[in-house]
Amino acid sequence: MGKPSGETNFGYSGRGRTLMIPPLKPSVTPRPEPADPAPAAPESGAGTESGFRLPGKGNRLPVDLIRRVAVSTAAATAAGIALVLARADEALVDRSPQGVLSSPGSFLAPAAAAWWIWMPVIAAWLGYALYQWLPRQRDNPRQEPLGWLILASQAAAFVWLLAVSSGNTALLLSAAAVHIAVGLAAVHSMNIHPPSSAVEGILADAPLKITLATGVLSLVAALAVTLTRTGADLAGWGATVWALIGLMTVMVGITVICMTDRGHLSLALAIAWGLSCIAFERLTGAPESLSIGVGAAVAAFLVLLSAGSRRHQVDHEQRRSERQAEARLRPEDARPAIL
């Protein structure tokens, strides 16, 4: 019996039946799937600055631009207030015993001249307001966190001025606490990301450190005035002992901060200025206290000593590392051949 074309005789399977296997179908090569389309380019006008997306197509909130405008506006406002006070020959704080930061109010209240430390801060704010608009600084990632911290310190400074002018102790304590929190956050950020130039350190870092010192001095003075007016005498130790404890606390806290990075010399100078004003007022003004005046002077000296020694240590290690790197790159001195 003939075999049909196109079929294969696999074998005999009983009763004369033949198992037939159909021919294989030709293989079909799968077609490659089209690649995913490339993401669309951002629409014009979106900008490269960071920001939050708003409802609507292509809308973007320029957060960096808002920050720079706010910092510049706050710096100009602070400069205007300082100019008005300077022309009117008025003190920043009330010198009467009823003032929240008046020098006769407590043992830890500095002389009125201590609060003119705001003048270099305002000058640095003006410089930073111009510095942040430079094209190179717009793309500097370090300016984003420091810019917001400077803006927060400016807002706290306006609250500080309002509290001092109105005699509101609670508001002054709140402003001082904000200054301390912002200053500590700034110091932590500076230790991780140091400034790239001396100009950046003066305009961006120095005002934050000085406002930290101002917050510490304001907090200590406001607490001392509050306890003095209420007649509080914790543990019966007396106002002199508690004032010395307060000075020691300030000295230890600032010394710990100044022993990080390169010493944070501007912070040490600002605290030393305030402690010197406390020492001067206690030695020459009222209320008079020889022990507190000497203690404040010693605290100022120790803060400066710790910051200066830390700066010298870090600079010495840096110079030593640079000399070692140069020695490794320098070719070995040729030695005379031994015959």
Side-chain angles (χ1 to χ4, degrees):
M1 197 175 168
K3 182 169 57 176
S5 62
E7 297 181 356
T8 305
N9 188 352
F10 184 78
Y12 187 75
S13 181
R15 305 188 67 176
R17 297 181 181 178
T18 305
L19 179 63
M20 311 303 292
I21 298 177
L24 298 176
K25 295 181 179 181
S27 60
V28 180
T29 304
R31 297 180 180 180
E33 297 183 0
D36 295 337
E43 297 184 5
S44 59
T48 59
E49 297 181 345
S50 62
F52 297 102
R53 181 71 64 178
L54 292 177
K57 185 178 179 180
N59 294 333
R60 195 175 183 85
L61 183 63
V63 177
D64 289 343
L65 178 61
I66 294 175
R67 186 196 71 243
R68 289 195 293 267
V69 171
V71 169
S72 303
T73 304
T77 304
I81 295 175
L83 184 61
V84 171
L85 292 176
R87 286 189 173 184
D89 195 18
E90 295 182 3
L92 288 176
V93 299
D94 187 4
R95 299 180 181 180
S96 64
Q98 290 74 27
V100 291
L101 291 178
S102 61
S103 53
S106 69
F107 281 134
L108 294 182
W115 306 113
W116 287 107
I117 197 174
W118 283 109
M119 296 300 110
V121 173
I122 295 174
W125 283 347
L126 289 175
Y128 179 78
L130 299 176
Y131 179 77
Q132 66 176 348
W133 287 100
L134 296 178
R136 187 175 182 180
Q137 299 305 319
R138 294 182 184 181
D139 299 330
N140 188 353
R142 189 175 186 269
Q143 299 305 328
E144 183 175 355
L146 286 184
W148 288 115
L149 290 174
I150 288 177
L151 183 60
S153 68
Q154 290 172 333
F158 292 132
V159 176
W160 183 93
L161 182 60
L162 177 62
V164 170
S165 60
S166 62
N168 192 330
T169 306
L171 191 61
L172 177 61
L173 291 173
S174 302
V178 172
H179 274 307
I180 294 174
V182 171
L184 292 177
V187 169
H188 177 70
S189 178
M190 296 168 194
N191 290 340
I192 299 176
H193 305 289
S196 58
S197 64
V199 175
E200 184 178 3
I202 293 174
L203 298 181
D205 297 13
L208 288 169
K209 298 175 186 178
I210 297 176
T211 53
L212 171 59
T214 305
V216 171
L217 295 173
S218 301
L219 182 65
V220 171
L223 286 176
V225 168
T226 302
L227 295 176
T228 301
R229 289 177 180 177
T230 57
D233 187 6
L234 303 179
W237 291 353
T240 302
V241 175
W242 281 110
L244 292 174
I245 292 175
L247 290 175
M248 184 180 300
T249 303
V250 172
M251 180 195 68
V252 172
I254 298 300
T255 300
V256 170
I257 297 175
C258 291
M259 293 305 292
T260 62
D261 197 55
R262 297 184 66 241
H264 300 292
L265 200 56
S266 55
L267 172 61
L269 290 173
I271 283 290
W273 166 254
L275 293 175
S276 300
C277 290
I278 294 176
F280 176 80
E281 194 67 18
R282 297 291 75 82
L283 295 176
T284 61
E288 185 177 355
S289 176
L290 178 63
S291 58
I292 295 177
V294 174
V298 172
F301 172 75
L302 292 178
V303 168
L304 289 177
L305 181 63
S306 64
S309 62
R310 176 65 179 180
R311 173 68 65 89
H312 174 73
Q313 177 186 1
V314 173
D315 290 347
H316 175 71
E317 292 294 334
Q318 184 177 0
R319 290 192 296 267
R320 181 180 178 183
S321 300
E322 291 176 354
R323 289 195 298 267
Q324 291 177 351
E326 292 177 358
R328 287 193 297 266
L329 296 176
R330 187 182 307 160
E332 297 182 358
D333 298 333
R335 296 182 180 180
I338 299 177
L339 299 177

